[in-house]
Amino acid sequence: MNGTHVVVLGAGIVGAACARELARCGFHVTVVDRGAPAGATTSHGEGNILVSDKGPGAELRLAQLSRRLWPETLASVAERSDRGARAAAAVEWEPKGGIVVATTDAGAAALAEFAAAQRAAGVRAESLDAAALAEAEPRVTRDHTAALHYPEDAQVQPAGAAVALLTDALAAGASLRSGCEVLSAVTRGSRITAVHTTGGLVEADVFVNAAGPWSGGLAARLGAPIAVRPRRGDILVTTPLPPTVFHKVYDADYVGAVGSSAEDLQTSAVVESTRAGSVLLGSSRRRAGFDDRMRPHVLAGIAAKALRLFPCLADVAVMRSYGGFRPYVDDHMPVIGPDPRLDGLWHATGHEGAGIGLCLGTALLVRNLLLGEPPAVEASPFRVDRPAVIGEAGRTEAAEPAGKGRAGDRKNAEEEAA
């Protein structure tokens, strides 16, 4: 057994994945969260596991690794016990693939160029003519200029996925302390040795900051600030429908929105079904700090873009909307690895809206680096000491809405995204 004690700060899907990976290879693992597991960012996403929206580079390699790991991980969770089998079933794994549709000539040209680069990096991207698109998605708009099928894209129920990973971590010996907020660090020289929490002192050899959009504020409280800030996203949910949408379908401009650093509102069309029959309509991106108020003009913008792809949804009732915060870094790259300023502090955050899809690769990379193993993917692009992460670490936007208490309404915080 590895005698190292690791405390994972955050019980969202990235924290759960890290806890599982480390517990299974012999670390003594404690997961600490000031709310409930999967209670914040993870439960406010769509559950996407995508390669289609990523261009060649380090993030795509991490996404490809994670996509390969998902089926074998779920099989391993299911095989461990009856409880694990139930947890794996709740994940609702659907390798249904994605379809990207361009609706302008300029969009078609950009999509073709983007797909060519992806294919060179090992992504399967299959062109669809009008007949093939109509067969794959009978109700999608016919007013399009190009379409691509990405068979590797998949979807999970995000909270169910996080709980399944955490269940497996606990089965491997990890422990969970929920309702326990981290307040400050205890240091000895340049090393963190413990954290003060609302539940008392927690000591360990290694602390992994997996607090998602709140990881910037948490890191600042520990004395090593990082520039991870919240980026808001909202989603509309229709009433359950007969089979209507069969893939994740989105407009080609979604890729540009994902990679944009703009602070103002951006919307793009993303439409997909759930196993229960509801259709999820997205997406939006805006920098609003931790303001969690729903904005009617944002929801209207989402609906308008979605109707361009699926005009048949015009008379469908929307039963609810929800939104959440994603951990944003200016260079759009996750932050994974040790903090050079404080020995014993590690980070696994900054995935923005891709945390569900990247969590397993992230956890494996954390394990590789902790054990000195050859990394499964090159780790240097995700290093903590890059300018976008600590060069402007004072701009964390970590304060939450005025009037919310540290241990009261401001709950379910230290967790990773979706």
Side-chain angles (χ1 to χ4, degrees):
M1 288 287 289
N2 188 321
T4 302
H5 184 192
V6 179
V7 171
V8 177
L9 304 173
I13 197 158
V14 171
C18 289
R20 175 186 180 273
E21 188 67 44
L22 297 178
R24 283 172 58 85
C25 68
F27 287 92
H28 298 292
V29 177
T30 302
V31 181
V32 173
D33 196 294
R34 68 181 180 181
T41 293
T42 295
S43 62
H44 291 80
E46 295 169 275
N48 292 321
I49 298 172
L50 306 181
V51 297
S52 57
D53 63 342
K54 298 170 182 66
E59 188 183 30
L60 175 59
R61 290 191 292 271
L62 187 64
Q64 291 170 312
L65 169 64
S66 294
R67 175 60 179 83
R68 292 194 298 270
L69 290 172
W70 267 106
E72 61 188 67
T73 296
L74 293 177
S76 176
V77 171
E79 290 168 2
R80 184 179 286 274
S81 64
D82 289 342
R83 183 178 182 184
R86 292 192 297 272
V91 173
E92 299 182 7
W93 168 257
E94 289 194 57
K96 59 185 177 182
I99 293 179
V100 184
V101 178
T103 55
T104 65
D105 290 337
L111 181 60
E113 182 179 359
F114 186 70
Q118 289 179 304
R119 291 188 189 104
V123 174
R124 293 173 60 190
E126 304 164 351
S127 296
L128 299 176
D129 60 20
L133 177 61
E135 182 178 0
E137 289 291 344
R139 294 171 180 81
V140 78
T141 180
R142 298 295 175 255
D143 186 16
H144 66 274
T145 53
L148 287 172
H149 176 222
Y150 288 87
E152 295 167 296
D153 283 356
Q155 184 182 21
V156 294
Q157 205 293 328
V163 170
L165 297 177
L166 187 58
T167 296
D168 211 38
L170 298 178
S175 60
L176 171 66
R177 296 183 64 176
S178 56
C180 186
E181 182 176 13
V182 175
L183 304 175
S184 63
V186 177
T187 59
R188 182 177 298 135
S190 62
R191 170 170 286 277
I192 181 172
T193 60
V195 291
H196 289 291
T197 77
T198 52
L201 190 69
V202 180
E203 298 179 299
D205 304 296
V206 174
F207 295 83
V208 180
N209 175 10
W214 295 268
S215 57
L218 174 60
R221 294 202 297 276
L222 299 179
I226 55 175
V228 176
R229 291 166 284 163
R231 204 180 193 194
R232 174 81 179 181
D234 298 300
I235 297 168
L236 294 168
V237 185
T238 74
T239 54
L241 303 175
T244 302
V245 183
F246 301 94
H247 303 77
K248 176 188 174 70
V249 184
Y250 62 89
D251 194 287
D253 63 3
Y254 173 79
V255 174
V258 168
S260 171
S261 298
E263 295 194 19
D264 55 346
L265 172 66
Q266 300 172 75
T267 58
S268 53
V270 182
V271 182
E272 61 190 316
S273 62
T274 67
R275 189 169 291 184
S278 294
V279 175
L280 306 181
L281 309 178
S283 69
S284 69
R285 281 173 167 76
R286 57 191 171 100
R287 296 261 292 278
F290 283 103
D291 183 351
D292 60 2
R293 291 171 292 180
M294 303 299 293
R295 302 292 186 179
H297 74 281
V298 175
L299 303 181
I302 291 171
K305 292 286 183 71
L307 290 177
R308 285 173 48 190
L309 280 186
F310 285 88
C312 64
L313 297 176
D315 296 324
V316 171
V318 171
M319 65 177 180
R320 67 185 180 95
S321 62
Y322 65 93
F325 304 109
R326 292 86 179 264
Y328 168 85
V329 181
D330 278 343
D331 64 3
H332 305 286
M333 293 287 283
V335 185
I336 306 169
D339 194 307
R341 301 161 298 174
L342 188 58
D343 291 343
L345 177 62
W346 288 59
H347 301 282
T349 184
H351 302 80
E352 200 172 339
I356 305 295
L358 300 179
C359 68
L360 296 183
T362 295
L364 179 56
L365 188 54
V366 169
R367 169 197 152 170
N368 294 155
L369 296 174
L370 270 172
L371 292 177
E373 301 171 338
V377 294
E378 183 184 358
S380 61
F382 309 115
R383 70 187 189 277
V384 178
D385 61 344
R386 63 186 200 260
V389 179
I390 64 174
E392 300 181 63
R395 299 191 299 111
T396 59
E397 295 180 19
E400 299 196 40
K404 292 195 174 183
R406 181 181 292 268
D409 293 337
R410 208 179 54 178
K411 62 182 180 177
N412 294 340
E414 285 173 3
E415 76 130 289
E416 179 50 89

